[in-house]
Amino acid sequence: MRLRALGRATLATLILTLGLLGLGAQQPAPQQAPNPPLPVLHADNGQNTAAAQSAHYVVLVSLDGFRWNYAKREGATHLLALGKHGVWAPEGMIPSYPSLTFPNHFSIVTGLYPEHHGLVANSFYDETKQARYAINDSQAVSDGSWYSGTPLWSLAESQGMRTACFFWPGSEAQIAGYRPTYYLKFDDKIDEVARIDQIVAWLSLPAADRPHFITLYYSEPDHEGHEFGPEAPETKAAIHKVDGLIGKLKESLDATGLPIDLVVVSDHGMVKTQGPWITLDQLADLTGFESAGYLLYGKTEEDRARVYEKLKHASSQFVVYRRKDVPGELNYSQNPREGDPVVIAAGPYAIRAHGPPEGKPDRPPTAGMHGFDPRRIPEMKASFFAAGPDIVVGKTVQPFENVNLYPWLAHLLGLTPPKSDGSLNVLAGTLRDGGVEPEKEAADAKH
Ligand code: AMP
Ligand code: ZN
Ligand code: ZN
């Protein structure tokens, strides 16, 4: 009786096997096919320590591409209610550059800028490894050697607390010595409500096995934002759909009676794309360069300097820097995976190194895009809502960088985080205990 979720899966497999063998043939057919069991994976990290068992719970939800102003614009009642009963960022949360899915999800759970945790884009090239990382390469995403930092689940596991990820970039790899105790391989076809049911199942486990830090991911409204644009009726419908899922999740979490802080964020926003593709190899000779999307990897100093000079005055739609000169606020100058020279879009323009190979059809850019510098293009800002027993009621926060979530989430869980690019001071005012460590509070009281 180790795991209820796995127990159910095993039972279902047995029933299925008996069925296939024809052993259940004389039984009446069930009225309705049961949902197939979810393929939950299990890392044997042991059980919660006594201290972990007495800690509170955090459910961290990501709504991909949920732009900072979507909730208010569309009257997303459940998200706005969450903010009203807790805290939210009405002017948005600032994503790390580039405002892409993997870099930002991993910044949220490590407190590190992309160049420090290593996922500098969704796809990139590593000169030392002479290999590529890409989000649709299941071998790469589950290989811990691509990632740096200590994701929250690894931090918790290392401090005796069990965790579970219903998807999160990085959650399929062993990083900083651990995997989440419970996790799944990414499969966006898994039903949205079944994801909530699984979270409730995890929270119904015996206290020794019950995860205290849980992630949940939905890829909407990002898909609709790309295909139809941020203002489209399809995107509006997706906003209401995920808002409804948050309402259902909140209701389910309340019903457990457990002390749960519910935190809903997004990774980035979305902007209407302007104009056709800008193809860099039409502006400079990229012979001898590796590339990934708009990232350029010059092999020799001569090549890097040549292409930099060529692109410098080639277009008003982007700015180009030698990597060491990228402005400090972007935190995008220290990791060779960023390439050199570095091209930064000056507006919502679709940039790529090369067009499709000969004979392959070219498609225009999608209607909506992201990835841009949030300081130049405020539509990139993300969302932040949170409520629960450790969070003050009815407070708003000014835009803050998403790396600051890491020490804050660690504090909610009673974990001691390593040094990161984030600071607890930024969100301390949203905490009922003001962000003071319990031991420090006790020591201060003595004086
Ligand atoms: P983008 O909008 O280009 O930054 O990428 C978003 C894509 O990432 C979506 O199509 C998601 O389906 C996909 N995605 C999100 N989480 C994961 C994951 N854990 N593993 C693989 N792909 C993911
Ligand atoms: Zn995304
Ligand atoms: Zn996207």
Side-chain angles (χ1 to χ4, degrees):
M1 167 59 231
R2 175 145 200 103
L3 259 181
R4 180 183 289 193
L6 286 184
R8 254 203 293 141
T10 316
L11 186 66
T13 314
L14 188 70
I15 292 168
L16 188 70
T17 313
L18 291 175
L20 288 175
L21 290 171
L23 297 177
Q26 59 276 61
Q27 299 295 325
Q31 290 299 304
Q32 207 186 350
N35 280 331
L38 295 179
V40 177
L41 298 165
H42 180 206
D44 198 358
N45 294 334
Q47 296 192 311
N48 283 306
T49 60
Q53 285 189 37
S54 62
H56 284 179
Y57 297 80
V58 169
V59 175
L60 173 65
V61 187
S62 165
L63 306 177
D64 201 313
F66 200 103
R67 193 165 95 181
W68 67 278
N69 67 340
Y70 277 177
K72 206 166 159 202
R73 191 188 83 184
E74 301 306 323
T77 47
H78 299 290
L79 281 164
L80 294 172
L82 192 67
K84 199 164 152 220
H85 295 126
V87 297
W88 70 300
E91 298 298 319
M93 177 171 76
I94 304 167
S96 300
Y97 182 82
S99 48
L100 295 170
T101 299
F102 268 50
N104 277 284
H105 278 88
F106 212 55
S107 284
I108 290 167
V109 295
T110 58
L112 298 174
Y113 293 120
E115 66 177 356
H116 294 154
H117 64 54
L119 302 187
V120 302
N122 284 342
S123 309
F124 55 86
Y125 176 69
D126 185 299
E127 279 159 2
T128 318
K129 284 173 171 283
Q130 303 236 320
R132 285 167 181 280
Y133 179 96
I135 65 174
N136 54 3
D137 175 347
S138 61
Q139 214 262 316
V141 298
S142 57
D143 172 356
S145 72
W146 287 101
Y147 306 81
S148 299
T150 308
L152 268 165
W153 55 82
S154 298
L155 180 70
E157 297 290 352
S158 74
Q159 295 180 22
M161 178 184 279
R162 304 294 69 95
T163 65
C165 291
F166 210 123
F167 305 153
W168 201 275
S171 63
E172 295 170 47
Q174 180 171 317
I175 306 172
Y178 294 90
R179 285 190 158 85
T181 296
Y182 316 107
Y183 64 103
L184 293 94
K185 271 179 86 70
F186 184 69
D187 174 4
D188 215 17
K189 290 193 286 301
I190 295 182
D191 180 76
E192 287 107 353
V193 175
R195 302 183 198 191
I196 297 176
D197 293 343
Q198 180 61 63
I199 280 158
V200 173
W202 280 328
L203 289 168
S204 312
L205 288 168
D209 298 316
R210 192 184 302 151
H212 283 250
F213 174 64
I214 300 178
T215 69
L216 170 61
Y217 169 85
Y218 289 116
S219 58
E220 288 162 288
D222 183 74
H223 282 176
E224 293 75 10
H226 279 296
E227 195 174 343
F228 306 104
E231 327 286 340
E234 291 86 348
T235 306
K236 294 179 181 196
I239 292 165
H240 285 292
K241 179 176 159 188
V242 291
D243 182 54
L245 289 166
I246 295 299
K248 182 165 173 44
L249 173 68
K250 176 79 171 70
E251 203 177 83
S252 309
L253 296 180
D254 286 348
T256 66
L258 293 169
I260 303 170
D261 295 310
L262 172 59
V263 182
V264 183
V265 297
S266 64
D267 48 353
H268 52 72
M270 186 67 67
V271 66
K272 189 170 179 298
T273 313
Q274 278 180 31
W277 283 110
I278 299 166
T279 306
L280 298 173
D281 71 4
Q282 293 173 359
L283 303 170
D285 177 6
L286 297 179
T287 308
F289 273 65
E290 291 285 346
S291 68
Y294 55 89
L295 299 180
L296 304 175
Y297 304 89
K299 287 216 178 74
T300 65
E301 175 53 24
E302 202 185 325
D303 279 344
R304 294 191 277 264
R306 176 180 58 77
V307 167
Y308 167 72
E309 289 300 330
K310 194 80 187 160
L311 291 179
K312 201 160 66 170
H313 302 297
S315 167
S316 59
Q317 292 178 297
F318 59 79
V319 191
V320 59
Y321 300 98
R322 292 304 306 268
R323 179 158 54 79
K324 64 178 176 34
D325 300 325
V326 173
E329 63 187 19
L330 291 178
N331 296 290
Y332 211 70
S333 64
Q334 290 174 17
N335 195 321
R337 292 177 182 177
E338 291 153 347
D340 191 4
V342 175
V343 173
I344 312 271
Y349 311 126
I351 303 178
R352 61 186 181 186
H354 304 287
E358 283 266 339
K360 292 258 179 208
D362 199 1
R363 288 199 194 96
T366 52
M369 274 189 86
H370 55 90
F372 307 109
D373 174 4
R375 289 163 191 86
R376 282 175 192 268
I377 302 178
E379 289 91 337
M380 292 301 100
K381 283 187 294 176
S383 297
F384 168 74
F385 299 87
D390 301 296
I391 294 166
V392 298
V393 175
K395 194 161 179 160
T396 58
V397 291
Q398 288 302 303
F400 63 95
E401 290 185 287
N402 64 2
V403 291
N404 296 296
L405 288 171
Y406 182 70
W408 183 80
L409 291 164
H411 187 86
L412 292 176
L413 291 162
L415 302 170
T416 309
K419 202 173 148 9
S420 69
D421 294 322
S423 161
L424 184 58
N425 292 339
V426 175
L427 291 174
T430 66
L431 295 165
R432 291 204 187 174
D433 68 6
V436 181
E437 304 282 338
E439 307 90 74
K440 187 159 183 309
E441 204 169 28
D444 288 350
K446 275 198 202 134
H447 295 295

